[in-house]
Amino acid sequence: MSGGVKATARILARGDGRGGTSLPVLEGDGPLALRRTRGSGAETRVMLVGAMSGPLGGDHFTVEAEAAEGARLHVGSAAATIALPGQTKAEARYDVRLTVADGAELRWLPEQLISANGSELYVSTRVDIGAYGRLVLREEQVLGRAAEEPGRLTSRLVLRVGGRTVLDQELACGPGAPGGWDGPAVLAGHRAVGQLVVVRPEFAAEPVVARVLGDGAVVMPLAGPAALVSAMAPDALRLRRLLDEALASLG
């Protein structure tokens, strides 16, 4: 990945002892800028603002967010992330590392990731949450801009709850991906795919029931206090609607 931009953003949130959430660490460099925005109640909100285009070929971006004990942290992004081809043909990487302590809550709700024609991006999201932590995580991926063929996009999501791996899945789409990615067994011609991961301690006693949620979405219980919603749609707007409806159905 020589010649690419390397950038890291770090967020640390912890309970302030007065019913609120403090941010002792809020730092980003290069194209990854972080801004604290107005929260509500005990929740603190942080916005990830892209200061440059990308990731481009050869770039390596990393975002690390930790919600320590007593914290309630909401992280969003100001706009969609667009993977673009760069001057080098090397693969770009985007790593997300999330940690949630017992008694803490993290809502990770960025905007869509768009895979533009000619790009090649590997996205890796790893979440480590305590058995009594809370999490809402949304991932949305759009294959190509309007009337455009997608680039190559590979994404992996790993979720550990209480030290136990409860989800480890990978999806590859676009040119060079394993055959069948666009067929009826995977995306069936759809160009927007997403998932929602919800972790709540109460799910341990009352697991989520597997079911179909409308046209294009399903909810599945995971081992431990967690649930996974998988959805696909013809476009980003419909995908967001499906995931919002799914989150509302989970309470």
Side-chain angles (χ1 to χ4, degrees), residues 131-213:
Y132 299 98
R134 292 177 175 270
L135 172 75
V136 176
L137 178 148
R138 182 182 68 211
E139 286 190 341
E140 298 169 305
Q141 295 156 357
V142 181
L143 305 180
R145 294 168 290 192
E148 177 187 65
E149 289 299 310
R152 169 73 180 270
L153 175 63
T154 304
S155 63
R156 184 180 181 189
L157 172 61
V158 178
L159 171 67
R160 289 170 53 85
V161 181
R164 178 187 181 188
T165 299
V166 300
L167 178 66
D168 187 343
Q169 68 177 26
E170 183 172 287
L171 176 65
C173 305
W181 68 269
D182 202 22
V186 188
L187 296 187
H190 290 86
R191 285 295 178 265
V193 59
Q195 52 200 354
L196 188 72
V197 176
V198 181
V199 180
R200 294 177 183 157
E202 52 266 34
F203 286 168
E206 298 183 15
V208 169
V209 177
R211 61 191 186 277
V212 176
L213 298 173

Side-chain angles (χ1 to χ4, degrees), residues 32-55:
L32 299 176
L34 298 170
R35 301 288 184 267
R36 182 171 186 166
T37 61
R38 184 182 298 275
S40 59
E43 182 182 78
T44 288
R45 295 194 173 209
V46 173
M47 191 70 67
L48 181 62
V49 181
M52 296 167 54
S53 296

Side-chain angles (χ1 to χ4, degrees), residues 62-105:
T62 303
V63 180
E64 301 172 356
E66 178 181 354
E69 185 176 356
R72 292 186 60 192
L73 175 64
H74 180 130
V75 181
S77 59
T81 297
I82 305 179
L84 297 165
Q87 294 182 346
T88 171
K89 293 187 179 297
E91 175 188 70
R93 288 190 61 97
Y94 201 127
D95 294 329
V96 176
R97 302 291 179 258
L98 308 177
T99 306
V100 186
D102 283 334
E105 178 178 339

